[in-house]
Amino acid sequence: MGVILAGGLASRMGGGDKSLKSLGKKTILELVMDRLSPQVKTIVLNANGDPRRFSKYKIPVIHDQTDQCLGPLAGVLSGLDWAYENGFNQIVTVAADTPFFPLTLVQALSEALLNSNSQIALAATNKKDSKIVVRHPTFGLWPVHLRSDLRNSLSLGVRKVVQWTEKHNHAEALFNIELGDPFFNVNTLEDLDIARRKINLEVK
C-alpha cells in the first residue's frame, strides 16, 4: 500500500498545496501517482485541511491525527493506522512534491529490507565510488506493527524521521545520482521552474 505525504505547509512557496501545481499537462500530484500506482495495489493521500480539493483524484484522503504540525512522521502514523484498519501489513511512503522518484522504489526498498535484519527501509542516494550518502527519509517502507511505537515516540516529542528509524536499525536502499537526483523535490518557485524545464525536456 502506498501513502503520498502531502501534509506540509509549503511555506517556502507562500502556502497552499505544492502538489497541485502544474508540471506540463499534469499536476505534481498526478505525476507522483503515475509513478507510484504501478508499484503498489492501493494509494492513499495524507493531507490536512478540506479533502474535497483532492476529489478529482479519486483516492482516499487521510489527515494527521493532531492539529499540530508534527512533520512527516505524523503522516506515516496516519498511513500505518489506515493500513491496519484495511488489512495491510506494511506501507511505502513517498513525498507529494517529488515528481521524478524511481519507478523501482518499492522493489529496491523491499530488497534492502530482505538483505538486512531491519524492520524499516529508507531510500538514499550517492554518487559512484562516493562514501557520502544522502538519506531521503520520507521515502520508506514501514511495517504496520510499529504504529504503536511511533505513536508513543510522537507523544514524547520525536519529530525527525531518522531520529525514530535509527532505533530500529533501518536499512537503506541506495540509488545512484550520476544522471541526476531522482528525489529532487519542489520546495520553492525556483524548484518549480527547474521541474517544468525537466518535464519539457522529457516530452521532447
Side-chain angles (χ1 to χ4, degrees), residues 72-106:
L73 279 179
V76 174
L77 176 59
S78 294
L80 291 174
D81 283 342
W82 196 94
Y84 173 77
E85 294 166 0
N86 289 273
F88 295 93
N89 59 19
Q90 64 181 4
I91 66 171
V92 62
T93 57
V94 302
D97 61 357
T98 309
F100 309 112
F101 67 86
L103 292 170
T104 57
L105 175 71
V106 175

Side-chain angles (χ1 to χ4, degrees), residues 160-179:
K160 293 184 177 181
V161 176
V162 175
Q163 185 182 357
W164 182 65
T165 59
E166 281 183 344
K167 77 174 188 176
H168 296 289
N169 189 32
H170 69 269
E172 291 182 348
L174 277 177
F175 294 87
N176 189 275
I177 58 172
E178 293 295 332
L179 299 178

Side-chain angles (χ1 to χ4, degrees), residues 8-78:
L9 300 176
S11 56
R12 282 181 280 179
M13 293 187 72
D17 294 294
K18 290 187 290 182
S19 63
L20 297 183
K21 300 290 186 182
S22 63
L23 285 184
K25 296 181 179 181
K26 296 186 177 183
T27 63
I28 297 175
L29 179 57
E30 286 176 296
L31 293 170
V32 169
M33 291 174 62
D34 287 349
R35 299 188 82 81
L36 184 58
S37 58
Q39 303 186 56
V40 296
K41 292 182 179 179
T42 301
I43 295 177
V44 300
L45 175 67
N46 165 240
N48 299 311
D50 188 348
R52 290 176 294 183
R53 67 195 193 276
F54 299 106
S55 59
K56 66 174 284 188
Y57 299 103
K58 309 297 182 184
I59 59 175
V61 180
I62 57 176
H63 56 79
D64 294 346
Q65 298 171 18
T66 174
D67 292 333
Q68 303 175 30
C69 297
L70 303 184
L73 279 179
V76 174
L77 176 59
S78 294

